[in-house]
């Protein structure tokens, strides 16, 4: 059993790969498979560029534009906290994990150079090299082709249930799955 614990026993697994490898597609497929097993799952994604979840003209946007460090917006369906870094350094994945509400499993997309365990998404047809030989935190590679000589398990990228089973086993979540049944 592995999969790092963070706050309150939350397990963490990352999905890493080159741009266009299918990380987001796999996460969107994995989420229902893991939730069907009775797990509470959250995700965290790294962006390599500026992004905004707000829109000019909205009150919350105007609050931030006027200088608010944080703006919380809430409704009967969801809430969101936006934090402006201004002159602060970009937080690393561990810092941001501490801000997440505890769940059974946190799936991290990106942060491929960070210290949490990861499954690499690899499509040789994209012409990019494997990341795994240079990253000891990659515990498996999900690919759409066989990869002879791979020193970690190779998962079939098209077998979402099999990848979900691997994550449950690797992160030691089987007891939580059986408790939910």
């Amino acid at each position: 059993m592995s999969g790092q614990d963070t706050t309150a026993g939350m397990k963490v697994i990352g999905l890493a790969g080159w741009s266009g490898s299918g990380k987001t597609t796999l996460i969107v497929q994995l989420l229902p498979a893991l939730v069907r097993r009775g797990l509470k799952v959250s995700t965290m994604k790294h962006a390599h560029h500026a992004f905004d979840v707000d829109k000019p003209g909205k009150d919350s946007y105007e609050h931030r534009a006027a200088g608010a460090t944080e703006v919380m917006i809430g409704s009967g369906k969801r809430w969101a906290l936006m934090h402006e870094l201004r002159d602060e350094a970009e937080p690393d994945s561990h810092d941001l994990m501490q801000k997440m509400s505890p769940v059974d499993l946190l799936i991290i997309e990106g942060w491929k150079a960070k210290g949490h365990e990861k499954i690499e998404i690899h499509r040789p047809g994209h012409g990019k090299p494997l990341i795994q030989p240079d990253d000891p935190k990659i515990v498996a590679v999900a690919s759409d082709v066989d990869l002879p000589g791979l020193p970690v398990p190779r998962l079939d990228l098209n077998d979402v249930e099999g990848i979900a089973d691997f994550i449950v086993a690797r992160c030691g979540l089987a007891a939580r799955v059986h408790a939910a049944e």
Side-chain angles (χ1 to χ4, degrees):
M1 175 173 80
S2 196
Q4 289 92 350
D5 284 319
T6 63
T7 322
M10 185 165 61
K11 300 295 185 170
V12 176
I13 193 79
L15 293 186
W18 299 103
S19 180
S21 62
K23 298 179 299 292
T24 300
T25 299
L26 181 57
I27 288 174
V28 169
Q29 294 170 338
L30 277 171
L31 284 165
L34 293 164
V35 170
R36 273 194 307 275
R37 288 164 168 79
L39 298 173
K40 287 183 71 174
V41 185
S42 291
T43 64
M44 190 168 80
K45 178 175 175 34
H46 185 251
H48 292 283
H49 49 79
F51 72 94
D52 204 331
V53 296
D54 215 351
K55 298 177 185 169
K58 294 293 184 183
D59 294 346
S60 52
Y61 181 93
E62 298 303 325
H63 295 185
R64 288 185 308 127
T69 298
E70 289 188 330
V71 176
M72 172 84 68
I73 185 167
S75 73
K77 297 277 186 190
R78 71 188 51 86
W79 62 268
L81 175 63
M82 293 168 278
H83 179 93
E84 292 298 309
L85 293 176
R86 310 246 184 249
D87 295 325
E88 299 171 46
E90 178 181 352
D92 66 19
S93 59
H94 186 265
D95 292 335
L96 292 175
M97 279 183 229
Q98 303 309 310
K99 299 185 183 306
M100 300 291 293
S101 297
V103 292
D104 297 315
L105 178 66
L106 174 62
I107 300 174
I108 299 177
E109 180 179 347
W111 277 291
K112 66 179 168 243
K114 296 301 178 186
H116 54 273
E117 290 190 343
K118 299 173 275 289
I119 297 170
E120 178 178 354
I121 312 308
H122 182 69
R123 294 180 187 267
H126 287 169
K128 299 284 189 177
L130 271 169
I131 299 167
Q132 181 276 325
D134 297 320
D135 187 346
K137 291 293 188 173
I138 291 178
V139 297
V141 175
S143 183
D144 52 357
V145 298
D146 285 331
L147 300 169
L150 196 63
V152 296
R154 182 248 176 210
L155 308 173
D156 182 346
L157 190 53
N158 298 309
D159 181 8
V160 174
E161 294 296 328
I163 296 171
D165 288 341
F166 177 86
I167 291 169
V168 166
R170 180 74 192 188
C171 292
L173 292 168
R176 294 183 196 182
V177 168
H178 295 305
E181 293 176 345

